Amino acid sequence: MPLPTATRSLSAKLLVLTVLFVMLAEVLIYTPSIARFRLTYLQERLSAAHLAALAVEAAPDRMVTKELEAKLLAHVGAHAVDLVQPDSRVYMLSRSMPPQVDAVVDLRGAGVVDLIADAFMALAQRQNRVLRVIDRSPKDVAQRVEIVMDERPMVMAMLDYSERILVLSVVISLITAGLVFLALVVMLVRPMRRLTESMVAFRRDPEHAEPTFAPDPRRDEIGVAQRELIAMQDALGTALRQRERLAALGTAVAKINHDLRGILSTAALLSERLAESADPEVRRVTPRLMGAIDRAVDLCGQTLSYTQDGVLPLRRARVDLAALVEEAGAEVASSLRPDGARTDAVWVGQVPAGLTLSADGDQLVRALANLGRNAVQAGADSVTVEARRTDGRLVLTVTDNGPGLPPRARENLFQPFAGSARAGGTGLGLAIAREIARAHGGDLRLVESTGSGTVFALELPVE
């Protein structure tokens, strides 16, 4: 699988997204900023208008010349100024012919949303409007100031402010995006690229691929992912090599199985003749010899079956569960104890009559028989099988009164050649039983194991 090109790489996407997000943040900052700029502009005009109106109060007879009035209005940037004091006195400055007012802007009690909407409405205007602006005086909130002014100079100032903000935003976004991009490349992209390259190389040759990077001592998620990937690749490589050896073992066992069975058959025939010997000592040890031969044949068959089964092919059919349990009990009853003696264990099947299930009957009998044989060979003399439905599943509990599983067997439960509860066992019985359960869509689990017995639960899905 080829790695992504530069235009489709994670680095390029991070760079573009960083620029976009920074620009979006600047837009969100600009929205209240432009409204605040417009409010400040108008308040500055109102403050200047208050000072200009006070000149009227200081003039003799509260009258100013036309020349001074024109200068004061030019300083304010307005066509007319009204200052209303608490005692209802009004000081006015006005041109001889003030223009007609197009809109009234009352800043008293204006909310943030109103100010933002008015600011963008002003920016959208293509023609100059004459505004009448009303607010409490920034110099004295007890006095009210009203001015009549052109909107265009304010809009031009707002556009100039917006241009400065835009340039500043672009510069900030590029600098921030560059720094964030470099940080992300060093902290994320490069380690992720090494992880990707290692996974691609491992997929091409999982048995011999080596990690393309050394484990990073960093303690964050990337460092954990690198160390876990190396550990996983080592474990998978070991498992694949072990699987290859097991496959070779299975092939070898398959080749010698026929000859070995022939040899064991000959030994069994000779053992039967030994049972007819006149020597009592020979007759006494012959059952043990025959039991040992039977166990050797059984071990050979189990090992061959386990190495060749793979994914179990199921032949599903509607089966009577009670009959399957009885059949498994018959197989357990005919099995041998480790000392070669026939078992006399009691098999109790407590399965309701008429309970059916869509499953492979032969495989289920095999799983139950394995559980029963394990219990008997571990020292149990009673095995009970019960069935119940719960949460859309059928649960078969297999309970024995044996001595329980030793700690080593619990640690390696369901592990072939490692999870046996007795010396000389292979541990294949439980491993095969669980594979059968999982092939049916269920599972096999240990419920409890104490000194008074062990309980396994074989769960199967039902329609």
Side-chain angles (χ1 to χ4, degrees), residues 11 45 296 345 352 358:
S11 304
R45 303 283 78 76
S358 176

Side-chain angles (χ1 to χ4, degrees), residues 104 112 123 324 402:
V104 177
V112 176
L123 290 173
L324 291 183

Side-chain angles (χ1 to χ4, degrees), residues 162 372 415 418 448:
S162 301
Q415 296 296 321
E448 64 176 357

Side-chain angles (χ1 to χ4, degrees), residues 37-320:
F37 178 86
R38 175 177 174 273
L39 177 62
T40 303
Y41 183 93
L42 294 176
Q43 288 177 340
E44 289 177 352
R45 303 283 78 76
L46 293 171
S47 179
H50 187 176
L51 295 176
L54 291 179
V56 178
E57 183 179 14
D61 299 329
R62 297 178 178 177
M63 296 293 291
V64 294
T65 62
K66 294 294 183 182
E67 291 78 4
L68 179 58
E69 185 177 34
K71 289 182 179 180
L72 291 174
L73 290 173
H75 175 72
V76 175
H79 297 289
V81 175
D82 292 342
L83 177 62
V84 181
Q85 295 187 338
D87 56 4
S88 300
R89 287 179 296 170
V90 179
Y91 299 97
M92 300 178 58
L93 293 171
S94 177
R95 299 185 189 276
S96 56
M97 292 294 293
Q100 181 179 357
V101 175
D102 297 318
V104 177
V105 179
D106 192 346
L107 299 178
R108 296 171 297 178
V112 176
V113 176
D114 297 330
L115 292 174
I116 293 175
D118 291 342
F120 282 97
M121 186 180 297
L123 290 173
Q125 293 295 328
R126 292 293 179 263
Q127 296 180 350
N128 181 38
R129 295 189 302 174
V130 177
L131 305 178
R132 185 174 188 84
V133 184
I134 306 171
D135 195 9
R136 297 178 183 87
S137 172
K139 301 296 184 182
D140 185 355
V141 295
Q143 304 183 37
R144 187 178 82 246
V145 181
E146 299 181 11
I147 61 175
V148 177
M149 57 174 285
D150 290 329
E151 186 181 37
R152 194 62 185 170
M154 180 184 67
V155 172
M156 296 302 297
M158 293 172 65
L159 291 174
D160 182 65
Y161 173 79
S162 301
E163 183 178 353
R164 295 197 303 272
I165 289 293
L166 176 62
V167 173
L168 183 62
S169 299
V170 172
V171 174
I172 292 176
S173 65
L174 291 177
I175 294 176
T176 305
L179 294 176
V180 172
F181 172 74
L182 291 177
L184 291 175
V185 166
V186 173
M187 297 176 61
L188 293 177
V189 177
R190 287 182 180 175
M192 289 298 296
R193 186 177 294 132
R194 290 195 293 268
L195 286 174
T196 304
E197 292 173 350
S198 180
M199 287 187 288
V200 171
F202 185 80
R203 185 185 67 84
R204 290 173 178 168
D205 189 4
E207 296 184 17
H208 304 94
E210 296 293 335
T212 58
F213 58 90
D216 201 315
R218 56 194 291 183
R219 298 182 177 272
D220 57 10
E221 290 80 356
I222 296 296
V224 173
Q226 289 179 345
R227 291 189 291 273
E228 290 298 323
L229 177 63
I230 293 176
M232 182 189 68
Q233 289 179 347
D234 290 340
L236 285 176
T238 301
L240 289 173
R241 288 189 291 272
Q242 184 177 9
R243 181 180 178 182
E244 184 178 354
R245 289 196 296 269
L246 286 175
L249 173 63
T251 302
V253 171
K255 290 180 179 179
I256 67 175
N257 182 63
H258 180 269
D259 295 338
L260 183 58
R261 283 180 178 274
I263 296 172
L264 292 175
S265 297
T266 302
L269 291 174
L270 293 175
S271 298
E272 292 178 357
R273 291 189 179 184
L274 288 176
E276 301 173 357
S277 173
D279 189 340
E281 182 65 20
V282 173
R283 289 198 304 271
R284 187 180 65 84
V285 299
T286 297
R288 294 185 181 180
L289 176 61
M290 295 180 66
I293 294 174
D294 289 341
R295 289 196 303 275
V297 173
D298 184 62
L299 174 61
C300 181
Q302 283 191 3
T303 304
L304 178 63
S305 176
Y306 183 78
T307 55
Q308 289 184 341
D309 274 349
V311 178
L312 292 175
L314 299 181
R315 294 185 293 272
R316 290 182 180 270
R318 181 62 59 178
V319 295
D320 187 307

Side-chain angles (χ1 to χ4, degrees), residues 351-368:
V351 178
L355 183 58
T356 62
L357 181 70
S358 176
D360 188 324
D362 293 338
Q363 296 289 2
L364 284 186
V365 169
R366 181 183 179 192
L368 292 173

Side-chain angles (χ1 to χ4, degrees), residues 13-27 173 177:
K13 293 178 181 178
L14 286 175
L15 178 60
V16 173
L17 288 176
T18 304
V19 173
L20 291 178
F21 290 155
V22 172
M23 291 299 295
L24 177 61
E26 293 292 341
V27 169
S173 65

Side-chain angles (χ1 to χ4, degrees), residues 390-407:
T390 175
D391 298 331
R393 300 176 77 83
L394 179 66
V395 181
L396 292 171
T397 56
V398 181
T399 306
D400 66 64
N401 62 348
L405 296 172

